[in-house]
Amino acid sequence: MWRKLFSNVNQYKKYAILAPLFVVLEVVCEVLIPKIMTYIIDDGVAKGNINAVLINGGIMVILAGLSLLLGLLSARFAAVASMGFGANLRENMFNKVQNFSFKNVDKFSTGSLITRFTTDVSFVQQAFMMSIRIAFRAPVMLILSIVMIFTINIKIAIAFVVLVPLVWGLMIFAMKFVVPLFEKLFKKFDALNTKVQENLTGIRVVKTFVRENHESASFRKASLDLQDAQIKAEKLLVYANPLMNFVTYAITITVVWIGGIQIMQATMSAGDISGIIAYIGQLLMALVMVAMVFVNLFMSRASARRISEIIDETPDISDKDADPSVKVEDSNIIFDKVSFKYKEAAENPVLSDISFEVKKGEVLGIVGGTGSGKSSLVQLIPRLYDASQGNVLVGGRNVKEFKIETLREAVGMVLQNNTLFSGTIEENLRWGNPNATQEELEEACKIASAHDFIVSFPNGYKSDISQGGVNVSGGQKQRICIARALLKKPKVLILDDSTSAVDSATEAEIREGIKASMKETTLIVIAQRIASVIDADKIIVLDDGKINGIGTHKELLQNNNIYKEIYNSQLGGVR
Amino acid sequence: MAKIIRTPSRGGKPMAKLDFKESLSVFKRLFKELGSFRIRVIIVFISIVLHSVSYAVGTMYLKEILTFIFENAANGVVDFKGLAEMMAWFIFIDVIGILTITVASRMTLTIAASMLCQLRVKMFDHMQKLPISYFDRNIHGEIMSRYTNDTDAIRELLSNGFRELINGAVTVLSVFVSMLILSPILTLIVIGNLILMGFLVVIVTGKTGKYFLGIQKQTADVNGYVEEYIAGQKVVKVFCHENVVVKGFGKKNDELRIIGTKGSTYAQILMPLLGNLSYLNYAIVAIGGSSLIALGKMGSMAAGIATLVMFLQLARQIGRPVAMISQQFNAVMMALAGAKRVFDMMDEPVEVDDGYVTLVNIQRDENGEIRECDCRTGSWAWKHPHKDGSLTYKELKGDIQFEDVSFQYVKDKKVLKNVDLYAKPGQQIAFVGATGAGKTTITNLINRFYDIPDGKIRYDGININKIKKADLRRSLAMVLQDTHLFTGTVMDNIRYGKLDATDEEVMKAAEVANATSFISHLPEGFNTMLTSDGANLSQGQRQLISIARAAVADPPVLILDEATSSIDTRTEAAIQKGLAQLMKGKTVFIIAHRLSTVRNADAILVLQDGEIIERGDHDKLMLLRGKYYQLYNGLFSWE
């Protein structure tokens, strides 16, 4: 998983290679320094040779300077590589998400997608940074310092060769125990946070039902659970500190004892012991760093998995085999025994055995209760989803024969939960047609009954829409969205409950306007209000994913019970 | 090693720095919060000091041992016994060091974990008592971050910060003293180097900080973009705008990369800079020291060498605690800022509740007199103690009266203006009006989410300010526009309305709300777990659960705030029957967008800008040919 993710480094690969290379060179310099030190003491100080002191001292300064330079460069390279890596990750994820079909998007919730872009990327980026620096630094330092100890004193070196794996083994053993405990701890953390979150969003519910004490009690339980989990998980880890202390002391005692005797026996020099003591320092530091890398990689494992999930997801709607020269010639629509499920495994289909035809320029109304499948049905037309069974035909051709872009250019759709993006009203409108003239913009807005309120804004068409379009009212937003779709001059226009916040008089005007200006366009209207579909050429009554009735308003009122019920529940509609 | 990943929180403000006086008072408060742990904290403190001292003493003693060895070597003597004796002392010192740190570490864990648990519980308990207006004023993400980022910063301080700070301080102090004793001249060289180091560190961290702010801003920008376009993903697809959006993202993403690389470079060079400067320091000390020895300025050759070896060790060591202290200092400041935010919340004034009228179960005795009863009788009364010591009971009926009520959330922006209204027991009162006309506000005043400055609200003839809030709210049930479900089963969520309801009662309530059919379609029926606010249910289904919740509570007054707005008219018509049963004999306030919902109400109040402009039943209002009439005929829309 890591390897695959790390391949996202791409154009920064050069830096990702240079960084560890320089780190290794830096470590070499660092490891050589104490060795030079032993020369200073033994050849220079002990023999009273000032020249030797100065020469070796000079070498040491040069080495330290070189190591500083290498260190700085490797830091720089690592920064470039890891930031580039992070940027690539985000970019690749974003591209991927843009290629997702609706089905793919549904699989990940918006909230979870956003976390993946933020927290997860930054964890993985940090893990990458560690991998190209510390993951190289620590082992190289560990090995080289043991090698250097070998060159000074074999006996002591052997003691280390035994000791280091022992300490390491101990660490890994402890980790085996601790890791699952930590996983548990994180879960408790999540549970606690969820509790707080729920109480924040649902505070009014808590207060109306006077459940403050009930909630406090359950929070106390979650908090105590967390406390126990924390103590359990960290209990072993708190001994890491004393253990490190113990190891340091044990090593020092061993070295001083063996070294001391050897010095007294004149088989070892004073410089040697200073060298060894210095190498011990480096060695211990390296050990701690290795542990750090492990912990970090472990901690970001879940993040890496979540990112991989996105990058590895295959968009499930593809137009690879479609012929780009195939155009949408005509705007009649045929559904032929169409069934649809959101998930393969789902037991009940959302739509089953849907067949109907709408001719060019006709108006089709669709009514039905919540969850009856109205939105699902129309989303099959621009291939936002693919039918599970049966065929959807536009202009006489199966929708799968078109390039997706060709198809969606021809099919305009105003979604139920529509979105405006931050930017001016004009910029938002231009989504429909980037090259539209001011006249075209205004014409579309006039049809959508949006022109009047837009020009009443201080900046008119240049007025800013804030994120999510919160500074315009629901009805205004819907009308801008309709204008945006009109600008596409689509062959098929689908309005999915997109005038619910507009009063019925205005709504009727909009409908009239669309019909008058786009005679060739097939119009499909999903509505809650019977009044919205009353004049349609054909009305489909959907119930539980099946066509319950099809006909004109008059026909349905006579022979369709559900339609009658809906009609009556709305008090006979608007007179 | 055991660093817990900081829980990300969006919307949390960057922490403000505290000045010295604030820091001190927060620190004192934190110590006070330690409460029963205080003795243990002192033990930990002593242990850490002992540990640090033993470390310093050990290092000094090691120098004695080395001198002993070198002198013996120079004299050609091999003194095992002497060495062993000295080593024994050294081991003794080490054991003290290890024992003290073990005690300190283990105790710290318990203290930190328990203290944080206490703090969280205290914070949560307090939060539950805060008035609704607090939650209006503060962004949820920000309150949330007190439970995550802020408590985590405190945890870090308790479990690592203090220890490392004390440790670092004692180490630096003892190393300095040791160095001074060993060689004042060499110490001067070290101090010179340290000043240089400190200077560089200040420059680098300054740069890092500067870029960090930029990175934060740019990150927020990228996240905002991702949020916006992922939320609007479906629209992007419908308009085939993928390429444009990707391009826009690429630009912002690259800006983040560039500033991120700059910032990260400075952050990354700090460690190699410090590390290698300490080597330079080492080299310079070595050259200086060796020269001094060679010149005979450091006593005998053996003593000189031993001194230099030790000194070099110390010189290398001094860098680490200095870096540690500066790092920890930052962490301490962050923790204190976090603690302050936690304390700020705990100091928020709680909801005022000086009501003394309570709600009790009653029974009527053979004379028809009201008797208080401990059991659930299904009938309730207000228990009203009077100033003269007498006690009256008034049966709970659900009679509500507004007398000249005005209200404002923010100064000079009146939401309600001199509203008069009454609802007799069993009546249905509906509110109609544009968003912001004050419909929801009226219901928020009845249950005292907010208190009114002017006017009076009476409940069964009692001023609601005299009624204990908990009892007042228990007598009403609300079905809100935004349904909130809690993690738990469907059963648990409905039972929220009445905690001791039996399974049968819950199921009956679900039946009333017409929710049984969709619940039985869920994978595990009533035992299906709901997570993340019932994300797997549709808005309409959530509303049904919320209606069932009110049904199981079954109080005399019911408030339906757009309770059926997400349910289609046909389903709504179907649950109307259930609702009618639920509403029977109850006083009901209905707020609805859809006029079909309110048509049957006993009185419809049309609100505009905080004033009641029309009132009457459907037929009367239609005859009036006013706003309601226009609205009803689609000639006019609030939008």
Side-chain angles (χ1 to χ4, degrees), chain B residues 421-448:
Chain B
L421 67 89
Y422 58 88
K424 292 278 161 230
Q427 274 191 331
Q428 290 180 23
I429 312 292
F431 298 103
V432 176
T435 320
K439 296 169 301 194
T440 302
T441 306
I442 290 184
T443 61
N444 278 342
L445 296 181
I446 297 174
N447 65 9
R448 284 188 76 196

Side-chain angles (χ1 to χ4, degrees), chain A residues 67 100 133 198 215 370 422, chain B residues 228 237 276 487 496 568:
Chain A
S67 148
F100 276 5
R133 293 194 66 203
E198 283 182 352
E215 290 300 325
T370 330
S422 41
Chain B
E228 178 164 14
K237 305 237 80 140
N276 287 305
T487 305
Y496 205 82
D568 64 276

Side-chain angles (χ1 to χ4, degrees), chain A residues 12 26 30 37 40 45-46 50 53 57 60 67-68 72 75-76 79-80 83-84 87 90-91 94-95 97-98 100 102 106 114 117-119 123 129 133 192-193 196-201 203-204 206-208 210-212 214-216 219-220 223 226-227 230-231 234-235 237-239 241-242 245-246 249 253 260-261 263-264 270 277 282 299 369-370 408 418 421-422 431 467 473 484 488 501 503-505 565 569-571 575, chain B residues 2-3 5 7-8 51 55 69-70 72-73 80 87 91 94 98 102 105-106 109 113-114 117 120-121 124-125 128 130 132 135-136 140 144 147-148 155 163 223 226-229 233-242 245-246 249-250 253 256-257 260-261 264-265 268-269 276 279 282-283 286-287 290 293-294 301 305 312-313 351 444 447 449-450 470 473 478 484 486-487 496-499 568-570 599 632 634 637 639:
Chain A
Y12 304 102
E26 183 199 355
E30 275 181 44
M37 188 66 221
I40 295 182
V45 181
I50 294 283
V53 171
M60 210 169 139
S67 148
L68 177 61
L72 296 186
R76 169 73 188 166
V80 173
M83 289 296 141
R90 280 192 298 267
E91 182 116 36
F94 196 81
N95 289 353
V97 172
Q98 291 303 324
F100 276 5
F102 273 30
D106 292 342
I114 290 164
F117 273 92
T118 52
T119 328
F123 276 134
M129 172 84 89
R133 293 194 66 203
L192 190 90
N193 289 341
V196 178
Q197 191 76 53
E198 283 182 352
N199 270 276
L200 281 173
T201 49
I203 188 72
R204 279 162 200 269
V206 174
K207 290 209 178 257
T208 17
V210 201
R211 294 287 175 260
E212 290 96 334
H214 174 71
E215 290 300 325
S216 284
F219 180 82
R220 187 181 308 259
S223 190
L226 174 66
Q227 178 193 330
Q230 189 175 0
I231 292 182
E234 290 190 26
K235 207 154 66 183
L237 283 179
V238 293
Y239 296 119
N241 231 321
N245 255 279
F246 171 74
Y249 285 135
I253 290 166
I261 290 169
I263 290 174
M264 287 196 277
I277 290 179
Q282 292 184 341
M299 296 271 198
T370 330
R408 291 189 188 155
N418 225 320
F421 297 94
S422 41
W431 274 55
Q467 186 167 341
S473 79
R484 181 170 67 180
K488 271 173 85 170
D503 60 276
S504 5
E565 268 181 55
S569 74
Q570 294 174 10
L571 320 148
R575 283 160 292 250
Chain B
K3 199 163 159 45
I5 296 176
T7 324
H51 168 74
Y55 179 75
I69 292 170
F70 292 151
N72 273 329
F80 278 116
M87 290 303 281
I91 290 173
D94 293 349
I98 294 170
T102 310
S105 303
R106 184 62 185 84
L109 172 62
S114 326
C117 177
R120 280 197 197 99
V121 169
F124 190 86
D125 284 353
Q128 293 291 329
L130 292 175
I132 290 288
F135 299 93
D136 296 343
H140 288 175
M144 194 67 206
Y147 288 90
T148 53
R155 191 193 64 80
R163 191 189 63 229
N223 291 350
V226 170
E227 227 172 303
E228 178 164 14
Y229 284 95
Q233 173 75 9
K234 297 197 170 179
V235 177
V236 175
K237 305 237 80 140
V238 168
F239 283 92
C240 287
H241 252 55
E242 291 94 334
V245 170
V246 163
F249 179 76
N253 194 28
L256 173 62
R257 182 186 64 79
T261 305
S264 167
T265 301
Q268 290 301 313
I269 62 174
N276 287 305
Y279 281 121
Y282 187 90
I287 294 173
S290 306
I293 294 172
M301 185 72 88
I305 293 174
L312 284 171
Q313 256 322 92
E351 235 181 316
N444 278 342
N447 65 9
F449 273 175
Y450 304 92
R473 289 176 190 162
M478 270 182 124
H484 292 291
F486 298 93
T487 305
Y496 205 82
K498 181 179 166 195
L499 293 179
D568 64 276
T569 48
R570 187 160 152 260
R599 194 181 181 225
Y632 193 76
S637 161
E639 293 291 347

Side-chain angles (χ1 to χ4, degrees), chain A residues 181-382:
Chain A
L181 290 176
F182 264 84
E183 273 169 353
K184 233 185 227 162
L185 174 62
F186 289 142
K187 283 215 183 87
K188 298 278 179 205
F189 250 110
D190 284 346
L192 190 90
N193 289 341
T194 311
K195 194 88 224 163
V196 178
Q197 191 76 53
E198 283 182 352
N199 270 276
L200 281 173
T201 49
I203 188 72
R204 279 162 200 269
V205 178
V206 174
K207 290 209 178 257
T208 17
F209 287 105
V210 201
R211 294 287 175 260
E212 290 96 334
N213 291 336
H214 174 71
E215 290 300 325
S216 284
S218 95
F219 180 82
R220 187 181 308 259
K221 201 186 149 286
S223 190
L224 281 172
D225 273 1
L226 174 66
Q227 178 193 330
D228 291 345
Q230 189 175 0
I231 292 182
K232 233 187 210 157
E234 290 190 26
K235 207 154 66 183
L236 265 172
L237 283 179
V238 293
Y239 296 119
N241 231 321
L243 188 74
M244 258 346 259
N245 255 279
F246 171 74
V247 172
T248 320
Y249 285 135
I251 291 173
T252 316
I253 290 166
T254 319
V255 169
V256 172
W257 180 250
I258 299 176
I261 290 169
Q262 289 195 350
I263 290 174
M264 287 196 277
Q265 289 168 341
T267 50
M268 191 170 143
S269 71
D272 289 349
I273 202 155
S274 87
I276 288 175
I277 290 179
Y279 286 125
I280 295 171
Q282 292 184 341
L283 195 129
L284 289 174
M285 200 124 74
L287 266 179
V288 173
M289 281 193 296
V290 169
M292 245 164 66
V293 172
F294 270 128
V295 169
N296 193 281
L297 283 182
F298 163 70
M299 296 271 198
S300 38
R301 205 176 49 175
S303 294
R305 195 176 47 232
R306 280 197 291 269
I307 292 176
S308 303
E309 267 171 23
I310 293 194
I311 295 186
D312 295 345
E313 175 87 10
T314 30
D316 83 326
I317 288 185
S318 153
D319 58 358
K320 265 211 313 279
D321 307 326
D323 178 356
S325 66
V326 176
K327 294 273 172 269
V328 182
E329 311 273 354
D330 194 19
S331 60
N332 71 320
I333 294 167
I334 297 171
F335 271 59
D336 180 22
K337 296 201 180 75
V338 171
S339 293
F340 175 65
K341 288 177 182 179
Y342 280 99
K343 282 189 193 125
E344 292 299 320
E347 232 171 84
N348 299 316
V350 180
L351 295 171
S352 45
D353 200 28
I354 303 283
S355 297
F356 66 87
E357 182 177 358
V358 198
K359 296 214 173 61
K360 179 174 164 184
E362 277 189 339
V363 178
L364 171 73
I366 303 177
V367 295
T370 330
S372 60
K374 298 177 303 237
S375 297
S376 311
L377 190 151
V378 292
Q379 289 181 347
L380 300 180
I381 300 170

